mmCIF file of all heavy atoms in Angstrom:
data_model
loop_
_atom_site.group_PDB
_atom_site.id
_atom_site.type_symbol
_atom_site.label_atom_id
_atom_site.label_comp_id
_atom_site.label_asym_id
_atom_site.label_seq_id
_atom_site.Cartn_x
_atom_site.Cartn_y
_atom_site.Cartn_z
ATOM 1 N N ALA B 89 31.965 49.357 133.620
ATOM 2 C CA ALA B 89 33.253 48.864 133.149
ATOM 3 C C ALA B 89 34.185 50.022 132.850
ATOM 4 O O ALA B 89 35.369 49.978 133.147
ATOM 5 C CB ALA B 89 33.054 48.027 131.897
ATOM 6 N N GLU B 90 33.610 51.078 132.300
ATOM 7 C CA GLU B 90 34.440 52.213 131.939
ATOM 8 C C GLU B 90 35.081 52.837 133.173
ATOM 9 O O GLU B 90 36.276 53.108 133.202
ATOM 10 C CB GLU B 90 33.605 53.251 131.196
ATOM 11 C CG GLU B 90 34.459 54.316 130.593
ATOM 12 C CD GLU B 90 33.668 55.249 129.716
ATOM 13 O OE1 GLU B 90 32.436 55.258 129.833
ATOM 14 O OE2 GLU B 90 34.291 55.966 128.928
ATOM 15 N N SER B 91 34.246 53.048 134.203
ATOM 16 C CA SER B 91 34.807 53.677 135.399
ATOM 17 C C SER B 91 35.810 52.749 136.068
ATOM 18 O O SER B 91 36.856 53.170 136.547
ATOM 19 C CB SER B 91 33.692 54.062 136.376
ATOM 20 O OG SER B 91 33.011 52.914 136.776
ATOM 21 N N LEU B 92 35.478 51.460 136.043
ATOM 22 C CA LEU B 92 36.391 50.488 136.621
ATOM 23 C C LEU B 92 37.707 50.516 135.850
ATOM 24 O O LEU B 92 38.780 50.464 136.423
ATOM 25 C CB LEU B 92 35.759 49.100 136.514
ATOM 26 C CG LEU B 92 36.328 48.053 137.441
ATOM 27 C CD1 LEU B 92 35.884 48.333 138.851
ATOM 28 C CD2 LEU B 92 35.861 46.688 137.000
ATOM 29 N N PHE B 93 37.571 50.638 134.557
ATOM 30 C CA PHE B 93 38.757 50.660 133.712
ATOM 31 C C PHE B 93 39.612 51.873 134.038
ATOM 32 O O PHE B 93 40.814 51.786 134.173
ATOM 33 C CB PHE B 93 38.320 50.706 132.253
ATOM 34 C CG PHE B 93 39.435 50.963 131.297
ATOM 35 C CD1 PHE B 93 40.453 50.047 131.170
ATOM 36 C CD2 PHE B 93 39.463 52.108 130.538
ATOM 37 C CE1 PHE B 93 41.494 50.280 130.297
ATOM 38 C CE2 PHE B 93 40.503 52.339 129.672
ATOM 39 C CZ PHE B 93 41.516 51.421 129.557
ATOM 40 N N HIS B 94 38.918 52.978 134.196
ATOM 41 C CA HIS B 94 39.618 54.214 134.503
ATOM 42 C C HIS B 94 40.513 54.029 135.720
ATOM 43 O O HIS B 94 41.668 54.429 135.726
ATOM 44 C CB HIS B 94 38.595 55.319 134.742
ATOM 45 C CG HIS B 94 39.198 56.673 134.845
ATOM 46 N ND1 HIS B 94 39.829 57.279 133.793
ATOM 47 C CD2 HIS B 94 39.275 57.525 135.882
ATOM 48 C CE1 HIS B 94 40.263 58.443 134.167
ATOM 49 N NE2 HIS B 94 39.951 58.628 135.425
ATOM 50 N N CYS B 95 39.966 53.413 136.782
ATOM 51 C CA CYS B 95 40.795 53.229 137.972
ATOM 52 C C CYS B 95 41.779 52.100 137.793
ATOM 53 O O CYS B 95 42.908 52.189 138.230
ATOM 54 C CB CYS B 95 40.014 52.926 139.227
ATOM 55 S SG CYS B 95 38.350 53.350 139.207
ATOM 56 N N SER B 96 41.329 51.005 137.185
ATOM 57 C CA SER B 96 42.230 49.858 137.207
ATOM 58 C C SER B 96 43.447 50.091 136.325
ATOM 59 O O SER B 96 44.518 49.592 136.625
ATOM 60 C CB SER B 96 41.525 48.568 136.836
ATOM 61 O OG SER B 96 40.597 48.805 135.853
ATOM 62 N N LEU B 97 43.265 50.879 135.283
ATOM 63 C CA LEU B 97 44.439 51.205 134.479
ATOM 64 C C LEU B 97 45.414 52.014 135.334
ATOM 65 O O LEU B 97 46.604 51.751 135.375
ATOM 66 C CB LEU B 97 44.032 52.008 133.244
ATOM 67 C CG LEU B 97 45.214 52.328 132.345
ATOM 68 C CD1 LEU B 97 45.681 51.094 131.621
ATOM 69 C CD2 LEU B 97 44.869 53.410 131.357
ATOM 70 N N LEU B 98 44.851 52.970 136.037
ATOM 71 C CA LEU B 98 45.664 53.813 136.906
ATOM 72 C C LEU B 98 46.368 52.944 137.948
ATOM 73 O O LEU B 98 47.541 53.119 138.244
ATOM 74 C CB LEU B 98 44.762 54.834 137.579
ATOM 75 C CG LEU B 98 45.432 55.999 138.283
ATOM 76 C CD1 LEU B 98 46.284 56.758 137.303
ATOM 77 C CD2 LEU B 98 44.380 56.909 138.858
ATOM 78 N N LYS B 99 45.613 52.001 138.462
ATOM 79 C CA LYS B 99 46.160 51.126 139.490
ATOM 80 C C LYS B 99 47.344 50.337 138.947
ATOM 81 O O LYS B 99 48.396 50.242 139.575
ATOM 82 C CB LYS B 99 45.062 50.162 139.939
ATOM 83 C CG LYS B 99 45.298 49.577 141.302
ATOM 84 C CD LYS B 99 44.113 48.743 141.713
ATOM 85 C CE LYS B 99 44.524 47.321 141.884
ATOM 86 N NZ LYS B 99 43.393 46.419 142.029
ATOM 87 N N MET B 100 47.134 49.836 137.726
ATOM 88 C CA MET B 100 48.198 49.036 137.153
ATOM 89 C C MET B 100 49.432 49.891 136.877
ATOM 90 O O MET B 100 50.567 49.482 137.119
ATOM 91 C CB MET B 100 47.705 48.414 135.871
ATOM 92 C CG MET B 100 48.598 47.371 135.357
ATOM 93 S SD MET B 100 48.559 47.406 133.605
ATOM 94 C CE MET B 100 49.086 49.050 133.319
ATOM 95 N N GLN B 101 49.195 51.102 136.401
ATOM 96 C CA GLN B 101 50.323 52.000 136.158
ATOM 97 C C GLN B 101 51.060 52.291 137.452
ATOM 98 O O GLN B 101 52.276 52.338 137.493
ATOM 99 C CB GLN B 101 49.811 53.306 135.547
ATOM 100 C CG GLN B 101 49.415 53.161 134.104
ATOM 101 C CD GLN B 101 48.705 54.386 133.591
ATOM 102 O OE1 GLN B 101 47.881 54.975 134.294
ATOM 103 N NE2 GLN B 101 48.984 54.781 132.387
ATOM 104 N N MET B 102 50.292 52.444 138.528
ATOM 105 C CA MET B 102 50.924 52.727 139.806
ATOM 106 C C MET B 102 51.760 51.543 140.277
ATOM 107 O O MET B 102 52.823 51.720 140.863
ATOM 108 C CB MET B 102 49.870 53.061 140.848
ATOM 109 C CG MET B 102 49.331 54.456 140.667
ATOM 110 S SD MET B 102 48.145 54.864 141.910
ATOM 111 C CE MET B 102 47.715 56.524 141.408
ATOM 112 N N GLU B 103 51.259 50.361 139.993
ATOM 113 C CA GLU B 103 52.050 49.187 140.381
ATOM 114 C C GLU B 103 53.387 49.172 139.654
ATOM 115 O O GLU B 103 54.428 48.885 140.237
ATOM 116 C CB GLU B 103 51.272 47.900 140.064
ATOM 117 C CG GLU B 103 50.330 47.528 141.182
ATOM 118 C CD GLU B 103 49.261 46.556 140.726
ATOM 119 O OE1 GLU B 103 49.397 45.953 139.644
ATOM 120 O OE2 GLU B 103 48.282 46.408 141.478
#
Side-chain angles (χ1 to χ4, degrees):
Chain B
E90 190 173 17
S91 61
L92 199 72
F93 170 64
H94 189 65
C95 340
S96 37
L97 182 73
L98 193 58
K99 202 175 117 191
M100 192 214 59
Q101 286 171 319
M102 284 182 180
E103 275 162 15

